[in-house]
Structure formats: structure tokens, C-alpha cells
Amino acid sequence: MIDLQWIYWLVGGYLLWSALRAVRDRSNPRRLANGLFWGLVAATMLAADRMPAAVVGGIVVALACLAGFGGLGRGRCDEGTPAAREASARRLGNRLFFPALLIPLVAVLVAVPLADLQVGGMRVFGAQLTTLVGLGVACVVAVAAALLMTRSAPAAAIEQSRRLLDAIGWAALLPLLLATLGSVFAATGVGDAVAGLIRMLIPVENRFVVVLAYALGMAAFTMVMGNAFAAFPVMTAGIGLPLLVQMHGADAASLAAIGMLSGYCGTLLTPMAANFNLVPAALLELRDPNAVIRQQVATALPLLACNIALMYLIVFR
């Protein structure tokens, strides 16, 4: 049975390999910091469930210190000659997109039609968090497809992904950490405080006004936190569940789906979403670090307006 633990072990093994490779990369002036950083992350992926909570917390603090004091460095990887890369791109053409498109396709197949697949009376995929299991399986399938298409060795895929990991740096952990921060905020009662504030500021008996507050709140809080996963537990506990679901009878599943998409509109508009908006600008060597955000404004605002309309028209029973 393939469950989420397998995915954690796979990611942990990859990060451990990346840490060892980073330490051996003498072209990187921060090779020891890189090795320690990714080694600590690998340890949490491989064995966090068997560590005391205080130890995991100490690892998080250590990661913050490594990222904040001196940061991580970038080494050199063999990228081939420009002529060879251009010839390969010309040969493959638009087929290069095929492995990337396999990821959502396989993830949906595992999460929905194949979720209950059994072989010899045993489930193939774990019953819990099947969507995440499907995402992990999809990534493995996509890597295999890319290797077959480009006729590359598995070591090449791992090495090139390490190059991207060096380029992104500590920002690769932002989604994970911000999602955890949102859970911490919800557990400490921030959602209740938001609900109290909203009740004071708006007429909660007006369904449209509450929808507007929830959608705009998801977008705004995402812009502050940098991640919709961090905003979701706070805004849903504060506005979505008590005011829209319990008071106005909204369907929780539909509300959550459109609410998350409203939060993603905020992701398009904030430099706090560094791995989405600042890292691409750095990789493309753009002069304006906010160039990606400027291009996304024309998508984010109309999409947010559509989400508000859909939420008002669809989610109520």
C-alpha cells in the first residue's frame, strides 16, 4: 500500500542526497550551510514523527537561523553547452510540456477514480490524504516520462533538480512553513478574533456582504501571509464556518473550494509569496523584482471578482 509516509521518505531521501552533494560542491561558498540546511529538512521528512516536538521546533529555529544569517549559496552544475541545450529544445519542441501535464492528470486519477483500487484484496493507495499521495506518485511518473523523452540518466534528473533547489534556496520551504503558521494562528484563537471584528464592522445578516468579507479577507490575508494555506484556517474559522455555513446555510465544500481560489488571487499580488513571484524574477534575471506581480494583476483582480460572484450564486443551499 502506497501511503503518504512513502512520499515523505522519498522526499527525505532526495533532500538527504542533495545535502551530501551540497557539502561536496566546492564551487559553493556556502556549501556547509546548504548541506546542514537540507540535511535538517531531510531529517524532519524521514523521522519527525519519532522526534519529540521540542526537537522539531529546534530544527525549525535552526533552519531560520541558517537562512537568515548569511543565507544559502549556489553551486555550479553541469548544464551542458548552450548549443547542445538549444538543439535538444528544438528536437523535443512542445513535447517538453508533456511530463509537467502528467502531474495534474495522474494526481487526479489517483485521488478520484483509482482511490479505492485494490490488488489482491489490499488497497494500492492509502485511504488518508489520497490527493497528496497522488501528487507524489504523479511527480515520480512525470520524472520517469521526462527521462524517457530526453534519454537521460536518473542521476541527471536529480542533479538538475538540485540546481533549481539551490536557485530557490530557503524559499522552497515557505508553503510548508506558512501552512503550519496558519494552523498555529487558528489554534491560538485568531479566527475567533476575526469573527468578532467582522461582526462589529459589517451587517452579518446580509449574505452578500459576508461573502464579500470572506473572499476579500482570504485574498488580503494571503497577501500578508504569502500563502493561501496560511489564510484559510483563520478566515474559514472566523467567517466561513460561523457566518456563511452555520448562519446562512452555505455548502461547506463549495465554499472552501472557492475560498481557497480567492486566496490564490492574493498570492498573485504579493512579494510575500517569494517562491511564486520573486524567485521566477531572479531566475529570469529581470531588472524589476516585482515584474511577475505586475503582469499578474490583470489576472488576479478579475478572477477575484468572478470568485465573489460564484460564491454568492453557488454555495448556498
Side-chain angles (χ1 to χ4, degrees):
M1 182 174 67
I2 303 173
D3 60 17
L4 193 59
Q5 186 63 60
W6 287 39
I7 308 302
Y8 281 129
W9 287 338
L10 179 63
V11 175
Y14 163 73
L15 291 175
L16 183 60
W17 181 91
S18 297
L20 295 175
R21 288 287 297 165
V23 171
R24 297 173 58 186
D25 185 1
R26 297 190 178 277
S27 66
N28 185 350
R30 298 280 299 168
R31 61 190 183 92
L32 295 180
N34 278 38
L36 182 57
F37 186 90
W38 297 117
L40 289 173
V41 179
T44 62
M45 292 290 178
L46 294 171
D49 56 335
R50 293 183 291 276
M51 295 180 184
V55 173
V56 178
I59 290 176
V60 173
V61 172
L63 293 175
C65 292
L66 287 169
F69 297 103
L72 304 182
R74 294 181 62 173
R76 286 196 298 268
C77 296
D78 182 15
E79 301 180 47
T81 64
R85 293 201 303 272
E86 184 176 347
S88 178
R90 202 163 34 240
R91 175 176 62 86
L92 295 171
N94 289 332
R95 287 184 295 159
L96 285 169
F97 293 101
F98 177 69
L101 294 175
L102 274 178
I103 296 176
L105 176 62
V106 175
V108 170
L109 286 175
V110 172
V112 183
L114 301 180
D116 297 323
L117 179 66
Q118 295 189 7
V119 175
M122 293 185 61
R123 291 178 62 99
V124 176
F125 305 107
Q128 302 296 322
L129 301 172
T130 310
T131 302
L132 294 180
V133 174
L135 179 59
V137 172
C139 289
V140 174
V141 171
V143 169
L147 292 175
L148 290 173
M149 182 182 300
T150 59
R151 303 168 192 164
S152 301
I158 300 176
E159 187 67 14
Q160 292 304 314
S161 67
R162 186 177 71 88
R163 176 175 62 85
L164 289 178
L165 197 63
D166 277 356
I168 298 173
W170 60 266
L173 294 185
L174 270 181
L176 175 63
L177 296 177
L178 291 174
T180 304
L181 184 59
S183 300
V184 171
F185 276 12
T188 54
V190 175
D192 295 334
V194 170
L197 183 62
I198 292 298
R199 289 175 185 272
M200 292 173 54
L201 296 178
I202 67 172
V204 294
E205 67 278 358
N206 187 314
R207 179 182 293 178
F208 177 76
V209 173
V210 180
V211 165
L212 195 65
Y214 179 59
L216 293 178
M218 276 294 302
F221 205 74
T222 298
M223 292 178 67
V224 173
M225 300 294 295
N227 193 294
F229 289 102
F232 182 76
V234 175
M235 299 307 300
T236 302
I239 301 176
L241 291 178
L243 301 182
L244 288 173
V245 175
Q246 296 175 3
M247 178 181 292
H248 292 288
D251 176 68
S254 302
L255 180 70
I258 302 175
M260 280 295 289
L261 189 55
S262 300
Y264 295 151
C265 294
T267 303
L268 298 176
L269 300 172
T270 177
M272 288 296 292
N275 53 326
F276 291 106
N277 298 331
L278 298 186
V279 170
L283 292 176
L284 295 173
E285 299 181 352
L286 303 179
R287 294 181 180 178
D288 182 3
N290 295 315
V292 174
I293 297 175
R294 297 183 193 281
Q295 291 297 317
Q296 292 173 165
V297 171
T299 299
L301 296 182
L303 183 57
L304 181 58
C306 290
N307 288 336
I308 294 171
L310 287 173
M311 193 179 297
Y312 184 69
L313 296 173
I314 290 177
V315 305
F316 298 101
R317 301 186 182 95

